[in-house]
Amino acid sequence: MKLIKKWWKYLTAKLTGSFNERADPKVQLEQALAEAQSQHRRLKEQAANVIANQKQSELRLNAKMAELEKLNATARQALIMADDAQKSGDAAKAQQYGSAAETIANQLIQVEKDVESLKSMVIESTQASDQAKAAVAQNSRLLQEKLAEKSKLLSQLEQAKMQE
């Protein structure tokens, strides 16, 4: 079994070497550039997903913040109504409004926890988004360099063919 594996590796290396010797440099250059462009496209797609995730996190945070404001206003209103009912001597209504305010306060605690969690998620996703944008920009520069290098190499290749 080891002999077969060694033989296979040898044959693969030999064929790869002879392929590389006979391969057209122009075609190899085009293949390398096509692969770089494909990699850049994949990187851009990944970055778009990261950015979309960041935007979704921001939207969820904004919705939770709106919910938090609404609950705060509702709790304040329930407390005011409980206070007014107490002042007018309606203990049953005061108790009812007080219970409602307490229930809303419990909801507020949970929503505040959710807001804090979403804030950290937005911070993390913003950092990831910034990193993804930077990676795409850097890869774009590298791709432009490869395109320039391709032109240079193709002209050198043409010159070499003319000299032959």
Side-chain angles (χ1 to χ4, degrees):
M1 193 63 162
K2 284 185 178 182
L3 181 62
I4 294 173
K5 285 183 182 180
K6 283 183 180 181
W7 179 81
W8 180 252
K9 286 181 183 180
Y10 172 79
L11 183 63
T12 305
K14 178 124 176 92
L15 290 175
T16 302
S18 57
F19 172 77
N20 287 338
E21 288 173 11
R22 292 187 186 118
D24 184 1
K26 191 174 184 179
V27 172
Q28 286 181 318
L29 196 56
E30 289 294 333
Q31 289 174 335
L33 191 59
E35 176 55 33
Q37 289 172 328
S38 174
Q39 179 184 1
H40 183 68
R41 186 177 55 255
R42 286 190 304 269
L43 184 63
K44 282 174 51 176
E45 289 170 1
Q46 289 172 345
N49 288 335
V50 169
I51 293 167
N53 183 34
Q54 180 221 0
K55 296 297 180 193
Q56 287 176 344
S57 296
E58 287 176 357
L59 290 174
R60 285 194 300 268
L61 176 62
N62 290 338
K64 278 292 179 184
M65 293 293 286
E67 183 181 351
L68 186 65
E69 288 178 28
K70 183 179 173 186
L71 283 173
N72 270 324
T74 306
R76 251 190 314 278
Q77 186 64 33
L79 288 172
I80 290 170
M81 291 172 78
D83 191 45
D84 289 346
Q86 186 137 14
K87 287 179 183 175
S88 68
D90 192 347
K93 283 279 186 196
Q95 173 66 31
Q96 181 183 357
Y97 291 135
S99 294
E102 191 175 313
T103 302
I104 294 168
N106 288 332
Q107 290 174 344
L108 270 170
I109 292 169
Q110 183 56 47
V111 171
E112 285 175 350
K113 287 179 184 176
D114 293 346
V115 164
E116 289 306 313
S117 173
L118 284 170
K119 279 182 183 179
S120 65
M121 187 184 302
V122 165
I123 290 170
E124 290 172 10
S125 64
T126 300
Q127 290 170 344
S129 174
D130 291 344
Q131 290 172 350
K133 288 174 187 175
V136 167
Q138 180 182 7
N139 196 291
S140 182
R141 283 189 302 274
L142 290 173
L143 189 58
Q144 292 303 319
E145 288 173 10
K146 286 180 181 180
L147 285 169
E149 186 179 338
K150 172 195 167 197
S151 298
K152 179 182 163 188
L153 290 174
L154 285 176
S155 67
Q156 288 176 352
L157 191 59
E158 291 300 319
Q159 287 176 356
K161 283 184 181 180
M162 292 174 126
Q163 290 176 356
E164 288 178 0

